[in-house]
Amino acid sequence: MSLRRRSVLSAGLATLAIPASAQAPRDSAPSASDVAAWARYAARLDARSVDAGGGRFDPAAANRVLGLANAARDQARVAPLAPDPELERAAAAHAADLAARGYVEHLSPEGFDPSHRLWLVGRTLIGSPSENIAFHRGGSAGPADLIAIWRRSPGHWRNLLRPDHSHAGFAVVRRNERVWLVGLFARPLAWLPAPLALRPTAPETATALASLPDELRARITSPQGARPGASGGARQITAMRDEGPGRLGAIGGPILLPLSQDRAG
């Protein structure tokens, strides 16, 4: 299996930390009108969260990474990260996809970014994540070895220690002598009280919007990072965060796809 990557090689070993990503290039994802592309990627993420991309998940290592991250944050006098199951599932799906397709990037080959993965996999969380990736090839690599890759990268280490992160999800996938670690970090703005289906009915969407506090000004928009599409395409729950006097930031939540014809009747 070939591996597309930017790497640092030493004595036959490869270690790599992809620069921390909070947002993909503008409009990198498929058009909101291309519902099939969004549905295929959602299905891919669901499949990878089960099959580990032909490798195996190492949940004990992922849990240890969380402990090491919080130990580092404690040393830096920063509040610990709380585990979040939706961040963990999105991280696991991407780590498995990296293993399955042999690449090491924040942006999927289709153009989907870390936020899109969370918004497709996570069905309650309102928040915009940032992502760290580490890759190791050759020999064994435990949790301390993997997190050391981030420690050697100032950008990754700053991302891990950011005080405005409150929650995280980590995933480790091992395939042969290759190891992928993905970390997703966020400060969620809110959670829906119940998971919203990927293809919800209009009443289900209305109930989800009504469940959020009025001050969040929740609405339905085109997915962030995607070219706007015609009515009936992919949509997203978007809330507004107060970012200072006269400033509001748009914060994404679950992405929604239209009901298929066989379900609409």
Side-chain angles (χ1 to χ4, degrees):
M1 177 178 64
S2 63
L3 184 69
R4 302 188 299 278
R5 70 192 190 281
R6 300 182 293 273
S7 62
V8 179
L9 299 173
S10 174
L13 304 181
T15 61
L16 170 64
I18 291 295
S21 171
Q23 189 173 13
R26 183 174 176 81
D27 297 346
S28 64
S31 166
S33 295
D34 192 353
V35 175
W38 291 85
R40 283 194 300 270
Y41 191 60
R44 173 178 289 278
L45 295 175
D46 283 344
R48 295 296 82 77
S49 68
V50 174
D51 66 17
R56 65 178 180 88
F57 291 115
D58 189 342
N63 187 60
R64 179 58 180 153
V65 168
L66 174 63
L68 291 170
N70 279 335
R73 288 173 69 90
D74 181 66
Q75 189 173 24
R77 299 187 178 183
V78 179
L81 298 164
D84 179 86
E86 293 188 353
L87 291 169
E88 289 172 352
R89 186 162 181 249
H94 189 47
D97 193 44
L98 298 179
R101 295 199 272 184
Y103 71 109
V104 187
E105 299 288 347
H106 296 293
L107 205 63
S108 79
E110 301 88 350
F112 294 103
D113 75 0
S115 292
H116 297 133
R117 286 187 282 278
L118 173 62
W119 297 332
L120 285 168
V121 167
R123 306 313 302 166
T124 67
L125 192 150
I126 312 293
S128 297
S130 63
E131 181 178 80
N132 278 1
I133 299 175
F135 169 75
H136 176 91
R137 183 185 67 187
S140 61
D145 302 307
L146 295 170
I147 205 167
I149 298 172
W150 290 345
R151 187 185 288 273
R152 294 193 293 269
S153 167
H156 287 82
W157 205 241
R158 282 194 302 270
N159 200 38
L160 186 143
L161 298 180
R162 274 176 54 181
D164 56 343
H165 288 148
S166 61
H167 291 71
F170 297 98
V172 175
V173 169
R174 300 181 184 276
R175 184 172 183 180
N176 300 323
E177 291 191 340
R178 293 169 172 170
V179 186
W180 288 260
L181 165 63
V182 174
L184 275 182
F185 311 89
R187 179 178 289 277
L189 187 62
W191 286 268
L192 299 176
L196 183 61
L198 180 63
R199 297 182 184 267
T201 64
E204 289 170 341
T205 301
T207 297
L209 288 174
S211 73
L212 294 169
D214 291 343
E215 60 266 24
L216 296 185
R217 308 181 193 184
R219 65 197 71 182
I220 300 297
T221 67
S222 289
Q224 295 180 31
R227 297 182 300 282
S231 176
R235 293 293 182 259
Q236 178 175 30
I237 291 181
T238 299
M240 306 306 291
R241 179 174 61 195
D242 186 352
E243 296 186 341
R247 296 174 55 211
L248 291 173
I251 306 300
I255 286 173
L256 319 175
L257 301 184
L259 286 167
S260 57
Q261 291 299 317
D262 59 337
R263 293 182 59 189

